[in-house]
């Protein structure tokens, strides 16, 4: 079965499009859930998400029967937006800047995505099936920006997409301290980017 983009498709039971009010409620729940999970962690209960979104718990359950379904919808929404962001950056007049800014952006956002992926791991969640869909293929999007940056002479020619993704994972693995405001992770991103940058002639 194919994977539909939840935010773009917004379909209810069967193939019927959601009514305008139902679609707004769904989008509101997704927005609030992303904000709450990002700031307070994934353990916040669904009824609290519903309260902050200004809807009933039943409304949340109609769109997302389980918390796992809500996690999945948020992850797909985020991956979809990342790929669209990369598509926009492909038009940049500064391919090197586009690649490095996108790499840093993925590290900034990736902490929550890794948490969502870990929470979804297990039966019924096929990560490889998701990323095989170009709408959600963040590695492919990063790879396209990488090639453009290499063609422009901004990134070392021997850097591969797998290399860039490994460095991204390493940056995400860097423990963060609430007191440092993320400076340790930003420092590691800077080190990674310096390592990928082409030597000046």
């Amino acid at each position: 079965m194919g994977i539909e983009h939840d935010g773009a498709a917004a379909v209810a039971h069967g193939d019927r499009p959601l009514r305008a009010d139902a679609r707004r409620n769904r989008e509101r729940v997704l927005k609030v859930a992303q904000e709450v999970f990002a700031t307070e962690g994934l353990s916040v209960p669904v009824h609290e998400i519903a309260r902050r979104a200004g809807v009933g718990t039943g409304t949340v359950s109609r769109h997302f029967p389980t918390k796992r379904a809500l996690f999945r919808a948020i992850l797909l929404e985020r991956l979809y937006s990342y790929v669209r962001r990369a598509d926009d950056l492909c038009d940049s007049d500064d391919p090197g800047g586009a690649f490095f800014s996108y790499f840093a952006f993925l590290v900034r956002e990736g902490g929550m995505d890794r948490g969502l992926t870990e929470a979804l791991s297990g039966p019924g969640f096929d990560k490889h099936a998701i990323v095989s869909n170009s709408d959600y293929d963040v590695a492919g999007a990063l790879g396209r920006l990488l090639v453009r940056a290499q063609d422009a002479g901004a990134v070392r020619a021997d850097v591969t997409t797998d290399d860039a993704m490994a460095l991204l994972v390493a940056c995400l693995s860097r423990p963060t301290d609430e007191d440092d405001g993320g400076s340790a992770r930003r420092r590691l991103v800077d080190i990674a980017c310096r390592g990928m940058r082409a030597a000046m002639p």
Side-chain angles (χ1 to χ4, degrees):
M1 183 174 68
I3 300 169
E4 286 186 322
H5 168 54
D6 291 74
V11 293
H13 306 294
D15 292 322
R16 292 175 297 150
L18 292 175
R19 300 190 318 271
D21 58 339
R23 185 171 62 251
R24 285 193 297 270
N25 283 340
R26 186 182 187 284
E27 291 170 353
R28 175 67 179 160
V29 169
L30 279 175
K31 181 176 184 296
V32 170
Q34 285 195 63
E35 293 170 351
V36 172
F37 291 151
T39 57
E40 301 177 35
L42 302 182
S43 62
V44 178
V46 170
H47 67 78
E48 179 62 15
I49 301 294
R51 185 187 71 80
R52 297 192 196 186
V55 300
T57 304
T59 298
V60 177
S61 298
R62 277 194 295 276
H63 294 293
F64 312 105
T66 65
K67 194 173 184 181
R68 184 183 176 89
L70 179 58
F71 286 163
R72 184 180 186 278
I74 292 173
L75 181 62
L76 292 183
E77 191 79 19
R78 288 168 69 83
L79 295 178
Y80 183 84
S81 72
Y82 299 166
V83 174
R84 299 288 75 76
R85 184 184 183 106
D87 289 344
D88 291 340
L89 286 170
C90 279
D91 296 327
S92 172
D93 293 332
D94 178 11
F99 169 75
F100 290 119
S101 68
Y102 189 64
F103 181 89
F105 163 77
L106 291 179
V107 173
R108 286 197 305 273
E109 295 293 325
M112 179 176 173
D113 299 321
R114 186 168 61 172
L116 287 168
T117 301
E118 290 172 354
L120 285 164
S121 62
F125 179 66
D126 189 344
K127 178 182 176 182
H128 297 293
I130 289 176
V131 299
S132 67
N133 184 322
S134 60
D135 282 342
Y136 311 112
D137 184 8
V138 175
L142 181 66
R144 291 192 293 277
L145 291 174
L146 171 62
V147 170
R148 291 187 74 247
Q150 289 173 322
D151 289 344
V155 174
R156 289 171 45 169
D158 59 346
V159 175
T160 67
T161 301
D162 286 345
D163 293 335
M165 288 300 296
L167 289 170
L168 192 153
V169 171
C171 290
L172 285 171
S173 299
R174 177 69 164 88
T176 58
D177 187 328
E178 291 182 1
D179 295 332
D180 78 355
S183 63
R185 187 169 286 175
R186 287 195 299 272
R187 183 170 61 253
L188 194 56
V189 168
D190 181 63
I191 292 169
C193 288
R194 286 175 183 270
M196 289 187 286
R197 205 176 294 275
M200 296 297 292

